[in-house]
Amino acid sequence: MKEKKNGPPGRTKIMKALSALIKQKDFHSITTAEIAFQAGVTEGLIYKYFKDKRDLLYTVLEEYFEAFREYIKKEVAQRETSIEKLEVVIRANIESWSANRVFARILLLEVRSSPDYYKSRAYELVKKYYRTIVQIIEDGMEKGEIRRDIKPEVLTKTILGAIEHSCLGDIIFERTIDADLICDNICKTVFKGVMP
Amino acid sequence: MKEKKNGPPGRTKIMKALSALIKQKDFHSITTAEIAFQAGVTEGLIYKYFKDKRDLLYTVLEEYFEAFREYIKKEVAQRETSIEKLEVVIRANIESWSANRVFARILLLEVRSSPDYYKSRAYELVKKYYRTIVQIIEDGMEKGEIRRDIKPEVLTKTILGAIEHSCLGDIIFERTIDADLICDNICKTVFKGVMP
DNA sequence: AAAGTGAGTAAGTTTTACTTACTTATGTAT
DNA sequence: ATACATAAGTAAGTAAAACTTACTCACTTT
């Protein structure tokens, strides 16, 4: 077996088609007709395999996310202290987005506004990722590496938010992401604080 | 003069109508027919005063943002040190969103994905807000209150991102925002760092 | 009073997401 | 092999929503 169970070829072609189109324009202005044309199938087939246009988007996102989590997991496992682990999460996250802008754009801009997204499998993966970070922080607190007067959940959100917003502008305006600079700045801020 | 130059009554009614509807459901599932009905005008009038449905949304957002900036400006002026100013920005931002969820939802979820938004007047106001914070940080660096080995722009994005992501979940799922907890946690993290 | 202007309308058209009823290919048991 | 079942794919629509166009009415200006 070369591939995972991707299902029928038409389904794969449709996902590839949207994946390609989303590089060129925003999701809202991509029509189902365009997707079908790019995939070389008819419009109706989209609705055979996906509930609706958005469901297709979530499924594409899911694929990206699976790879992303895999990568992060591997990197984290190699580190010892919780601070090192957090640093590698921050770095890997930014670098993943930098290498895979489409993924970042879908995740940060295209799906969040639809209520249905929060019932999707893709969102389940996001939550898993979130919980991984909370766990790192809780472990760090237990080991005395991280101060205990902060809520792990809020700290996680602070870190994820810092990453997201720092990359957002570059993603929207198609600029190159200076991963090192951003990572370095976020780590300095979060680990040691901004006071001299 | 009671009001600012709001333009013709129909225009105001349309904006009020969308403002009310967006409290109940997400922008995508609000139809122009609904907006017109709620406003007590015909659908065509919307297109007399606004380029399209999204343009109307940006204009509503603009109104909210104007008030937001006014409030922040006043709060900031009362503080002395740059750290105090940053703290009050964080607090005022979170409290504004807590008090005005519609505004936060539009800003964080509904407009960001459309390229047109980045040409709107509303986005200009966002940039102004961003620059205000950069300025506070630059002043702080000059006065020696903030370490100089961080880029003011990245630090600004880190702070804004931390705020946004910390509130996002509560906004989406309509939970109450614990402004004090979030503000306190972000300040602790950003000012002093997470290490004990 | 005639002309001009801006607010507002009624009745379309077009676009686009989504459906339905059908055909063609593929694999499987007798 | 042949009949049957199931899955892949298509063609031609429908419905709803965004957006247009050509018009009317009221009110001001000269």
Side-chain angles (χ1 to χ4, degrees), chain B residues 26-38:
Chain B
D26 68 312
F27 178 68
H28 179 246
S29 49
I30 296 170
T31 68
T32 50
E34 263 179 301
I35 298 168
F37 177 79
Q38 174 92 3

Side-chain angles (χ1 to χ4, degrees), chain A residues 23-34:
Chain A
K23 279 169 195 160
Q24 296 157 33
K25 49 168 123 178
D26 68 310
F27 179 68
H28 179 248
S29 50
I30 296 170
T31 66
T32 50
E34 264 179 300

Side-chain angles (χ1 to χ4, degrees), chain A residues 2-13 15-16 63:
Chain A
K2 277 181 190 175
E3 316 255 317
K4 295 177 259 178
K5 71 161 208 299
N6 281 351
R11 195 187 126 102
T12 316
K13 278 194 274 177
M15 285 177 64
K16 284 248 167 78
E63 288 244 315

Side-chain angles (χ1 to χ4, degrees), chain B residues 138-153:
Chain B
E138 281 172 349
D139 290 350
M141 284 177 174
E142 232 160 79
K143 288 198 271 175
E145 291 162 4
I146 293 174
R147 60 197 284 199
R148 278 171 234 257
D149 60 339
I150 296 178
K151 282 211 113 197
E153 289 80 13

Side-chain angles (χ1 to χ4, degrees), chain A residues 81-141:
Chain A
T81 69
S82 55
I83 296 292
E84 282 170 340
K85 284 181 182 180
L86 284 182
E87 190 184 337
V88 89
V89 164
I90 294 170
R91 165 152 286 117
N93 193 325
I94 297 172
E95 278 170 357
S96 280
W97 286 354
S98 175
N100 225 323
R101 268 116 186 303
V102 193
F103 167 51
R105 265 200 40 202
I106 301 176
L107 190 59
L108 300 187
L109 297 173
E110 312 276 16
V111 297
R112 285 189 178 172
S113 58
S114 316
D116 271 6
Y117 165 64
Y118 301 97
K119 297 171 204 154
S120 74
R121 269 199 57 203
Y123 181 65
E124 287 302 316
L125 293 175
V126 172
K127 280 203 285 192
K128 262 193 196 167
Y129 176 52
Y130 168 81
R131 273 189 237 111
T132 306
I133 300 175
V134 171
Q135 191 58 55
I136 293 171
I137 291 166
E138 281 172 347
D139 290 350
M141 284 178 175

